[in-house]
Amino acid sequence: MSPALFDLYADRKSIVVVVDVLRATSTMCIAFEKGIEKMIPVSTVEEALEYRESNPNYILAAERNGAPVKGFDFGNSPQSYLELDMSGKTVVMTTTNGTKSISIAKKDHDVAIGSLLNLDAISKWLISQERDVIIFCAGWKDKFNLEDTLFAGALAQQLVDSDLYNNFCDATQAAQILWEKGKNDLFGFLDNSSHRKRLANLNIDSDIHFCLKPNQTTKIPVLKNNTLVAIDES
Ligand code: MLT
C-alpha cells in the first residue's frame, strides 16, 4: 500500500505490478494504446533533460505535485496523448510517485504497469504467467492513497476468482473490501480523497474521470532494460 513498505514484500521472484491510477500508470497505458513504441521512466527532471540532449526526437513528459514541469512537452495528463499521432514515438517520463515506484520495484523484480485502463488485460496476462504477484501502490509521497488500493482490490479479485491465486495477505483482503464498496461509483467514492482534491485545485477533474474508466486498452507496458515496451493481451 506504500513504496515505504515494499521491502517487506519483496521476494525477488514475483511479478510486480506498479499502479498509480491518478495519473502516471493510466497515462503510460493510454500512451501505448495511442501507438508509442517505448517509454523511459526516470526518477528526476535532470535525468529526463539529459535524454533530450541524447535524442532531440524524444518526447519529454514531467509532473511534480500534479502540475506540468516547465520546459517539457507534456505534463502527466493522459488526455495529452489522444489527439496526436504518437506512432513510433519514444517518451521519457518523470512523475512525483509513479516513476519513483518503478525505480524501486525494478531492482530485483520483473515489472508490469497496471491501471484501471488495462485491468482485464493485465489480470488475464498475469494468470497466464502463473507466478506470484505483488501489487505495488505508488500512493502519494509514501502515504497510502485510496485510488491505487481500489485498483489493487479489483485486480486481486480477478486473480482470486481464477482459483489460481490465494490472498493470504491482509492488505490484499482490505483492498478487495474497498473495491467491493467503491466499484459502482469510483468518482463518488473518491469524493474526499487527497489527490482528487489536489487535481481539482489544478482544474483537471476531467483527467480523473478518464483514469477511472476501466478497460480502455489491452496494452500491458512491461519493463525491459529500464525501458517500458508493450505486450498486447487482446
Ligand atoms: C504521480 O506520479 O505522482 C502522479 O501520477 C501524479 C499526477 O499525475 O498527478
Side-chain angles (χ1 to χ4, degrees), residues 48-188:
L49 290 172
E50 280 160 26
Y51 276 96
R52 169 85 83 197
E53 275 142 42
S54 68
N55 188 326
N57 297 324
Y58 282 175
I59 293 172
L60 264 57
E63 161 277 334
R64 285 295 180 269
N65 299 311
V69 176
K70 256 197 185 42
F72 281 69
D73 307 306
F74 291 165
N76 199 24
S77 171
Q79 301 183 87
S80 310
Y81 298 81
L82 298 182
E83 305 313 322
L84 300 172
D85 173 10
M86 301 304 290
S87 48
K89 303 276 189 221
T90 295
V91 175
V92 179
M93 177 189 272
T94 181
T95 71
T96 309
N97 305 286
T99 54
K100 175 187 160 208
S101 300
I102 294 171
S103 62
I104 294 170
K106 73 180 182 185
K107 289 198 188 86
D108 303 309
H109 296 83
D110 294 333
V111 173
I113 300 299
S115 73
L116 290 166
L117 277 68
N118 69 351
L119 174 61
D120 290 0
I122 196 163
S123 66
K124 191 174 162 202
W125 175 73
L126 288 168
I127 290 165
S128 71
Q129 302 302 302
E130 297 194 358
R131 287 174 58 187
D132 291 345
V133 173
I134 300 171
I135 308 172
F136 186 135
C137 297
W140 181 261
K141 300 185 179 178
D142 284 346
K143 291 195 186 105
F144 165 94
N145 77 17
L146 280 170
E147 60 270 17
D148 296 344
T149 309
L150 279 169
F151 168 84
L155 179 58
Q157 193 58 56
Q158 292 203 16
L159 298 181
V160 168
D161 289 349
S162 74
D163 293 335
L164 268 178
Y165 284 84
N166 64 51
N167 59 351
F168 295 154
C169 165
D170 291 8
T172 305
Q173 292 175 29
Q176 287 174 263
I177 294 164
L178 207 63
W179 172 250
E180 223 27 66
K181 215 169 157 19
K183 68 183 182 184
N184 298 323
D185 176 14
L186 294 172
F187 191 78

